[in-house]
Amino acid sequence: MLVVNTETIPGHEIVEIKGLVQGNTIRAKHLGRDIGAGLKNLVGGELTGYTELLTEARRQALQRMMDQVVKAVEFVFLFSLVAGLLVLFAAVSATHDERRFDAAVMRTLGA
């Protein structure tokens, strides 16, 4: 299963859309890191603490999206199972009288 945030996938044909999933997270660094990042911002350079924070937040948001997809697939599977059982029950119930008649005929014939 492919999880994307675009309307098209190069090299693939989209046959079915399962639905929209989302994953959000809000993170904060501690005060010491914020002061250090502010000073680093003044002189220039990469704020590695915030880069790591953004990477972890993105990973966590993607994990939440995947969890939503798994729940949706589980629901569809459960729904299909229940629908199949209802069809089976309806078929057995519909042929109940016919099976009773067949059993009576077999008893009458000595089988």
Side-chain angles (χ1 to χ4, degrees), residues 92-109:
V92 169
S93 296
T95 60
H96 180 63
D97 291 336
E98 183 179 335
R99 286 183 286 118
R100 285 182 63 191
F101 176 77
D102 290 345
V105 168
M106 295 297 277
R107 277 194 306 269
T108 303
L109 295 176

Side-chain angles (χ1 to χ4, degrees), residues 81-97 99:
L81 183 64
V82 170
L85 289 173
L86 287 173
V87 168
L88 177 64
F89 178 75
V92 169
S93 296
T95 60
H96 180 63
D97 291 336
R99 286 183 286 118

Side-chain angles (χ1 to χ4, degrees), residues 3 12 22 24 26-27 32 38 53 55 67 69 82 88-89 91 109:
V3 178
H12 296 279
Q22 59 185 358
N24 299 313
I26 297 174
R27 310 292 295 259
L53 184 65
T55 302
D67 291 345
V69 168
V82 170
L88 177 64
F89 178 75
L109 295 176

Side-chain angles (χ1 to χ4, degrees), residues 2 13 26 40-42 55 57 61 65 68 74 90 93 106 110:
L2 297 175
E13 177 185 352
I26 297 174
K40 182 119 181 177
N41 193 26
L42 289 174
T55 302
M65 289 190 318
Q68 285 184 352
E74 287 173 352
S93 296
M106 295 297 277

Side-chain angles (χ1 to χ4, degrees), residues 12-109:
H12 296 279
E13 177 185 352
I14 297 176
V15 187
E16 183 178 5
I17 296 175
K18 298 291 186 183
L20 175 67
V21 294
Q22 59 185 358
N24 299 313
T25 184
I26 297 174
R27 310 292 295 259
K29 284 287 185 186
H30 55 79
L31 182 61
R33 278 244 166 135
D34 285 341
I35 292 172
L39 294 173
K40 182 119 181 177
N41 193 26
L42 289 174
V43 295
E46 180 183 5
L47 306 175
T48 55
Y50 286 105
T51 302
E52 292 167 2
L53 184 65
L54 179 61
T55 302
E56 176 60 24
R58 186 176 296 128
R59 188 205 59 76
Q60 189 177 31
L62 181 61
Q63 183 61 46
R64 288 180 183 174
M65 289 190 318
M66 292 302 295
D67 291 345
Q68 285 184 352
V69 168
V70 167
K71 286 180 184 176
V73 169
E74 287 173 352
F75 175 75
V76 168
F77 174 74
L78 183 62
F79 180 77
S80 299
L81 183 64
V82 170
L85 289 173
L86 287 173
V87 168
L88 177 64
F89 178 75
V92 169
S93 296
T95 60
H96 180 63
D97 291 336
E98 183 179 335
R99 286 183 286 118
R100 285 182 63 191
F101 176 77
D102 290 345
V105 168
M106 295 297 277
R107 277 194 306 269
T108 303
L109 295 176

